[in-house]
Structure formats: C-alpha cells, structure tokens
Amino acid sequence: MSAIGRSRGIHYLQKLSAANIPSDLIEKGQSRVIDASLTLIREKAKLKGELVRALGGSLASTSLLGVPLGHNSSFLQGPAFAPPRIREAMWCGSTNSTTEEGKELKDPRVLTDVGDLAVQEIRDCGVDDDRLMNVVSESVKIVMEEDPLRPLVLGGDHSISYPVVRAVSQKLGGPVDILHLDAHPDIYDAFEGNKYSHASPFARIMEGGYARRLLQVGIRSINSEGREQGKRNWGKE
C-alpha cells in the first residue's frame, strides 16, 4: 500500500499525540468533523427527497453518492479522484441525457445527487479505517432513509464495497444478492496486511453474512489463497 496514501491523517495524529494533546480532545475533534460531513450528506439528501416527493410520480429516484477513497489501493491512488470525473463525463457536452426507455436523467424524479462524503477531510483528522468504514456505511444509510432516494455509490477503490453492502444489508434487514463484475474476486483475507484492502472487501462481506448470494462475473485470475477463501465462505471452489 502506498505510504503517501496512508500517512497524511496518521502523521497528523502522531504529531498531536507527540504534543501531549489529550486523546479525548482529539476524538471529540474527529467526531465533530465526522458529524459535519454526515450532516451535509443528510441535509442534501433531505432536500432532494423533499423535491422528488413534491414533484410526485416517482417510486424510486437514483441518487449519486460519491465516496472518494483511494488509500486502500495497493498500487495507484487514482480512484479517489473518480467521483467528480464521472460526473464531468456524465454531463459533458456530448452526453445524451435521455435513456433508452425515454427517461430524462435531468429529471430529479429519475436522478439526483447528494454530493461526496468528505473522506480526505476525515482522514486528515487521523480517523482510522475502522471508524471511516462506519462513516461510509452511515452515509449510505442516510440516503436510503430519504424515500424515494436509492443510492448509487461512486467510488473510490474497491474497499468501499464492504461498508456499502453492509449498510444496504443492515438497512434492508438481511443479506442481499450481489452481482460483482470484476477480473479479480477481491477475497484476500488481508492483502498486504490490510483487512480493508481493495483486494479484500468480499472477504469482509462474506464473513459478516451480508451476502445471500454472490455471483462474480469476469474473474480471470485466482490464486491458492483465493481458492481457500472460496471454500471457507462458500463450501466449494
């Protein structure tokens, strides 16, 4: 894992600790930043939900939620920059916003956007990945609570698959069916010692019982560890 990608918030926290700043003071500051980040998502989701309900005629409105997280990638950190780039491509001059079924993507009853979770700002405060993954899950739940919004999450490296699936499973009250399109199964127990690696989300999903069925399509390589993980989680290769 890239030292640059991991270290900003960690080094900041180490500096605070070295300065003998009380740990409870640091944690309270982290909590304020997390609360502010989630409040922004919550208020935007509430506004978009109210708008869609006022317009009427929509049972479900896809709502974009960006999670610009890339530090769990074992190679390049580019995925953190993806959410705004995806939006830029969606709304560029060559885009046709009318779907094959004749629906207009610029209609909020079809598509809304609640913005991006402030991942880097949270990490800059020294928040570790255990807590960060909980924040990602909470952001997804917040969008799901604003009926009729349905979150479409823009990553971000593959590590966000775990907190996103966990949030949906918990909110719906049980395990879900997953269609996973990828060249790799992403089921390492802890790739390079990182349990939240982009190569490990489906290990966390399966061990947590959040998937009822997992269909992986496009897998082109799986090593011995992956096969053992498959046996452990599915009972067969």
Side-chain angles (χ1 to χ4, degrees):
M1 179 182 300
S2 167
I4 295 175
R6 296 181 60 184
S7 62
R8 271 182 74 179
I10 295 173
H11 286 172
Y12 178 69
L13 182 60
Q14 289 173 341
K15 289 179 180 179
L16 292 179
S17 300
N20 295 320
I21 304 298
S23 59
D24 63 329
L25 187 64
I26 296 173
E27 186 169 347
K28 287 179 181 178
Q30 293 172 337
S31 295
R32 288 197 300 271
V33 173
I34 290 172
D35 290 344
S37 302
L38 290 176
T39 295
L40 182 58
I41 297 295
R42 181 178 291 107
E43 292 304 317
K44 292 182 76 171
K46 185 179 298 184
L47 174 61
K48 300 302 173 67
E50 289 171 346
L51 173 61
V52 174
R53 290 193 295 272
L55 290 171
S58 177
L59 297 178
S61 173
T62 301
S63 188
L64 303 180
L65 169 64
V67 182
L69 186 156
H71 64 276
N72 283 318
S73 174
S74 60
F75 185 41
L76 299 177
Q77 306 298 306
F81 304 107
R85 298 293 185 269
I86 295 172
R87 293 186 180 93
E88 182 181 347
M90 282 182 62
W91 304 120
C92 73
S94 62
T95 295
N96 185 339
S97 60
T98 303
T99 72
E100 292 86 345
E101 296 179 346
K103 294 182 178 180
E104 177 55 59
L105 295 182
K106 294 180 180 179
D107 184 341
R109 291 171 295 185
V110 177
L111 180 67
T112 58
D113 193 337
V114 298
D116 295 346
L117 181 66
V119 173
Q120 191 57 59
E121 288 79 0
I122 293 171
R123 295 191 69 242
D124 281 348
C125 297
V127 173
D128 63 25
D129 267 6
D130 286 331
R131 198 172 181 191
L132 180 58
M133 292 298 167
N134 289 336
V135 176
V136 174
S137 289
E138 185 62 25
S139 69
V140 174
K141 292 178 182 179
I142 286 172
V143 178
M144 293 181 70
E145 287 168 0
E146 275 302 321
D147 196 63
L149 303 188
R150 302 292 184 267
L152 174 59
V153 181
L154 308 178
D157 67 47
H158 291 190
S159 67
I160 70 168
S161 302
Y162 165 56
V164 170
V165 169
R166 177 177 63 180
V168 173
S169 173
Q170 291 176 341
K171 201 65 183 172
L172 295 180
V176 297
D177 297 336
I178 302 172
L179 172 61
H180 176 209
L181 306 178
D182 202 339
H184 309 104
D186 292 350
I187 56 173
Y188 282 97
D189 181 57
F191 187 69
E192 296 184 346
N194 178 13
K195 68 178 180 179
Y196 293 125
S197 168
H198 69 142
S200 301
F202 284 96
R204 304 288 82 78
I205 289 169
M206 298 306 293
E207 71 186 17
Y210 302 120
R212 182 176 64 175
R213 289 183 294 182
L214 172 61
L215 176 60
Q216 296 183 309
V217 178
I219 306 301
R220 61 174 169 78
S221 63
I222 181 170
N223 62 14
S224 58
E225 180 181 345
R227 293 184 183 279
E228 288 303 314
Q229 282 285 86
K231 293 176 184 178
R232 185 177 303 116
N233 287 301
W234 294 283
K236 58 182 179 180
E237 293 189 29

